[in-house]
Amino acid sequence: MAEKVVIIGSGPAAHTAAIYTARAEFKPVLFEGFMAGGIAAGGQLTTTTEVENFPGFPEGISGPDLCDRFRAQSQRFDVTIHTETITKLDLSSRPFKYWSDERSGEADTIILATGATAKRLDIPGAGEGPGEFWQRGVSACAVCDGALPMFRNQPLAVIGGGDSAMEEASFLTKFASKVYLLARRDELRASKIMVQRVLANPKIEMLYSHECTAALGTDGLERIRVKNLKDGKERELDCMGLFFAIGHVPNTGFLDGQIKTDAQGYVVTTPGSTVTSVPGVFAAGDVQDKKYRQAITAAGSGCMAAIDAEHFIAAQG
Ligand code: FAD
Ligand code: NDP
């Protein structure tokens, strides 16, 4: 028999959808993935340290702890959770068909909450482990990590030439003594208004045609090595925080073109809802949101997807 609701994903969007649909007695089945997109079940928050902007935790909470709590709340309402990645869907007719590494089945409705993966630069010092500074100065989310005490009144750097990089560089000037903004070309992709704001900000030093070749330090990040791509010259800059803003990749490859996505692969939803191009399939969280990309907005849209799915099932009788 087809499941009423199958949820794909494991971040705040997926678990909020699970909690709501479970409490509505739809017995949701959630596929949390097994290192899907290279990220542990729990999603992007498993890759960060402190989360200070999720309401309800005035002292802050570690990303992995918050993910554990989302999961525990789903379990409290008897959500069936499979630690498997969904590899294929057939959305051509209802009930929809799904396949994971270990099983297949059918679903009346599907909630896509597979998130997105922030791109990271593969440069020496920016990885994880000894002598590397990922989450010890190197981050892919200035909005999330920028306000940490370690970055206050320190020189910081952002890499990227898009709107995210402009926004993050401007945001970081609230805390930093100075922000270097490195763009690999001699022009910026970002919208004019964002660029103007950056260029007018005395705390931001624009480094066009520059790339970062290494993150350096001892216990944490202290310096970056940058290369001028025009003359090939390298130098070191004092820098206590390095933020990648080089884009995200939505985890939509497995949809195989069956759902309408935009040019960058994000699922297109009807504004103000989680409705996708396929009736009965809903999308929540970062997989359909390239603007806000926060845990709380993902959770909020997970709630919307649950309610949209409930209404859909009710309308089908
Ligand atoms: P995600 O968290 O992206 O999780 C989706 C997960 O679903 C995937 O990671 C994977 O495990 C699973 N999955 C993917 N494909 C499949 C599949 N085919 N089958 C089964 N499972 C699958 N936001 C904040 O509000 N505050 C912060 O402090 C904060 N810090 C951050 C720090 C970092 C380093 C990063 C990268 C992001 C941070 N964010 C923060 C952003 C926040 O993590 C995201 O906005 C939020 O996690 C998005 O939630 P989501 O539910 O859409 O999915
Ligand atoms: P974009 O894809 O627009 O920009 C990514 C940037 O990163 C580009 O400048 C790109 O350089 C650079 N880049 C990519 N790979 C590398 C690399 N390996 N080394 C160095 N630089 C690299 O992503 P964004 O996240 O900035 O924006 C995504 C979407 O979200 C856009 O549509 C944007 O408009 C929107 N957005 C809107 C905001 C707003 O309106 N307030 C805020 C944030 C995002 P290059 O230009 O050379 O390709």
Side-chain angles (χ1 to χ4, degrees):
M1 210 173 88
E3 308 294 349
K4 280 202 175 74
V5 182
V6 164
I7 299 164
I8 311 172
S10 53
H15 281 294
T16 305
I19 292 161
Y20 271 76
T21 48
R23 294 187 74 247
E25 300 190 340
F26 286 116
K27 299 193 182 342
V29 176
L30 183 147
F31 285 85
E32 66 179 355
F34 181 76
M35 294 307 290
I39 298 186
Q44 294 174 63
L45 292 175
T46 63
T47 68
T48 192
T49 47
E50 281 298 287
V51 177
E52 295 184 323
N53 52 10
F54 198 90
F57 300 94
E59 313 301 329
I61 180 166
S62 89
D65 283 352
L66 186 55
C67 297
D68 288 347
R69 283 168 176 258
F70 292 146
R71 195 176 193 275
Q73 198 164 347
S74 288
Q75 285 176 317
R76 178 183 159 203
F77 294 108
D78 295 326
V79 174
T80 302
I81 300 178
H82 297 300
T83 309
E84 297 162 24
T85 300
I86 292 291
T87 50
K88 190 176 142 190
L89 294 176
D90 179 354
L91 306 177
S92 58
S93 62
R94 276 202 314 273
F96 306 121
K97 296 179 189 59
Y98 61 84
W99 288 262
S100 77
D101 302 328
E102 293 174 34
R103 74 191 77 219
S104 61
E106 293 184 337
D108 288 334
T109 63
I110 291 180
I111 295 176
L112 301 169
T114 48
T117 308
K119 289 197 235 166
R120 282 160 63 171
L121 270 187
D122 185 18
I123 52 173
E128 288 157 65
E132 305 279 328
F133 305 110
W134 175 249
Q135 291 296 306
R136 292 192 299 136
V138 182
S139 162
C141 184
V143 176
C144 322
D145 298 333
L148 293 175
M150 65 199 269
F151 299 128
R152 300 270 161 144
N153 299 313
Q154 301 292 345
L156 309 176
V158 174
I159 300 178
D163 283 328
S164 293
M166 304 304 116
E167 198 164 82
E168 303 210 343
S170 300
F171 174 77
L172 288 172
T173 58
K174 287 194 227 167
F175 316 105
S177 57
K178 165 174 197 127
V179 177
Y180 297 102
L181 180 50
L182 279 74
R184 64 182 171 181
R185 292 185 291 136
D186 57 8
E187 59 182 306
L188 300 169
R189 175 187 295 269
S191 51
K192 284 215 162 46
I193 185 163
M194 305 281 270
V195 173
Q196 278 164 5
R197 223 171 272 163
V198 158
L199 297 181
N201 191 321
K203 274 196 182 176
I204 299 177
E205 180 175 338
M206 196 62 233
L207 298 176
Y208 290 105
S209 302
H210 271 71
E211 69 178 10
C212 179
T213 53
L216 309 163
T218 45
D219 286 340
L221 181 74
E222 289 163 6
R223 297 178 317 285
I224 55 172
R225 187 176 303 134
V226 300
K227 183 176 180 182
N228 183 327
L229 296 168
K230 289 256 161 95
D231 60 17
K233 285 194 179 138
E234 290 199 77
R235 64 190 159 120
E236 287 184 13
L237 302 173
D238 287 341
C239 177
M240 303 298 281
L242 175 63
F243 295 85
F244 300 141
I246 58 171
H248 283 70
V249 186
N251 299 321
T252 49
F254 73 108
L255 297 176
D256 215 13
Q258 297 177 87
I259 295 267
K260 189 174 173 200
T261 55
D262 69 9
Q264 290 142 325
Y266 287 87
V267 174
V268 174
T269 49
T270 305
S273 80
T274 61
V275 169
T276 71
S277 59
V278 175
V281 179
F282 305 92
D286 285 15
V287 73
Q288 51 85 56
D289 171 17
K290 62 186 177 198
K291 185 171 179 191
Y292 300 106
R293 295 192 294 227
Q294 298 297 302
I296 192 67
T297 48
S301 65
C303 162
M304 289 165 64
I307 293 172
D308 286 342
E310 285 173 38
H311 289 172
F312 180 85
I313 292 168
Q316 302 298 306

